[in-house]
Amino acid sequence: MSQIKCIGILTSGGDAPGMNAAIRAVTRAAIYNGFEVKGIYRGYKGLITGEIAPFKTQNVSNIIQQGGTILKTARCQEFKTAEGRKIAYDTLVKENIDALVVIGGDGTLTGARIFATENNYPIVGLPGTIDNDLYGTDTTIGYDTALNTIMEAVDKIRDTATSHERLFFIEVMGRDAGFLALNGAIATGAEAAIIPEISTEVDQLEELIKNGFRKSKNSSIVLVAESPITGGAMHLAERVQKEYPQYDVRVTILGHIQRGGSPTAHDRILASRMGAAAIDALLEDQRNVMIGIRNNEIEYVPFNKAIKNDKPIDRELLNTLRKLSI
Ligand code: F6P
């Protein structure tokens, strides 16, 4: 451990609200513990192009409330190649960076795992993604803010859905996971959530149609998780429109609005705790672990587990949604 003097920090993959709060926490906790810090721009790409700058406490002032990432982000194809990773390693040596803290989702941690193993290099990961699809943490940085953005948008759509007595399919992000759709549906009192985890078992749309959507109301809202497995909102709407012309159907795809905005208190606190914990982990000689928080306790989750273990949907939530949408 004593070998570590300088810590590099980067954000990679899709941005998520709270990433800035995490950058701030890592930087400040590192400096508090006597480390130097360097900010690496544009994710792993910055390790290849050498876009790196020293970070002092004032570099992270006034950012806790900002969405996006001041370090910028990218999905770097070159880092997926052995040649690209060799250049990245040489950059780290040249810059005297002895350990990395990487903030991102599944792709970011996969890259970190490969790089750390190849080079025997200490890396700690923070789960930063709106998708909440990493195993070993109750929530990921950005998920709560995205959920609140979805809630506000759906509340607005409900006004027009009710006035026109329409059926709305609203598509939300999540990559291959249904957390945003399922919890978004509960938070907005929607009729149903069509999510990949369940779509593989039953035709959820067929079930909904059989039940006549919500019988007690003339308008209905269904949240659909983007995914080739669900087919997406547009596809489901077309199916309903063709077979049941009596429904007045509309589609809204919320898109990247879900990734922006000022982080909620939950995400700021999560990012701050996780950022500080990343430095504790390095002080304890931990490497190749993601910081998770489960049942309010910090956990060190080996990269392998965080990435490979599918995080299951809570069936109790699904039942609650079903019970409450009668
Ligand atoms: O992983 C975050 C996420 O927003 C996913 O929900 C979505 O599938 C993907 O990124 C979109 O990526 P991009 O911004 O590259 O289109």
Side-chain angles (χ1 to χ4, degrees), residues 75 129-131 173-175 226 256 259:
R75 301 188 200 276
T129 166
I130 65 164
D131 301 332
M173 283 186 168
R175 216 163 52 111
E226 59 162 5
H256 287 78
R259 287 237 295 261

Side-chain angles (χ1 to χ4, degrees), residues 233-275:
M234 201 62 93
H235 166 77
L236 296 178
E238 275 164 14
R239 250 181 80 188
V240 173
Q241 197 73 98
K242 222 179 272 162
E243 294 170 40
Y244 303 89
Q246 70 270 31
Y247 287 113
D248 191 7
V249 183
R250 291 291 185 278
V251 171
T252 304
I253 297 174
L254 293 186
H256 287 78
I257 193 174
Q258 296 162 90
R259 287 237 295 261
S262 179
T264 56
H266 175 92
D267 276 332
R268 295 182 198 194
I269 295 164
L270 188 73
S272 300
R273 290 182 70 191
M274 286 179 163

Side-chain angles (χ1 to χ4, degrees), residues 177-252:
F179 297 99
L180 286 170
L182 177 54
N183 282 305
I186 293 176
T188 56
E191 277 52 68
I194 297 191
I195 57 175
E197 293 86 342
I198 304 299
S199 288
T200 50
E201 296 169 11
V202 286
D203 186 339
Q204 289 176 280
L205 185 65
E206 195 61 44
E207 274 191 345
L208 274 174
I209 293 171
K210 255 198 296 183
N211 297 334
F213 291 90
R214 189 188 282 192
K215 293 200 184 70
S216 57
K217 286 173 73 189
N218 293 329
S219 69
S220 286
I221 288 180
V222 176
L223 261 63
V224 182
E226 59 162 5
S227 158
I229 301 170
T230 62
M234 201 62 93
H235 166 77
L236 296 178
E238 275 164 14
R239 250 181 80 188
V240 173
Q241 197 73 98
K242 222 179 272 162
E243 294 170 40
Y244 303 89
Q246 70 270 31
Y247 287 113
D248 191 7
V249 183
R250 291 291 185 278
V251 171
T252 304

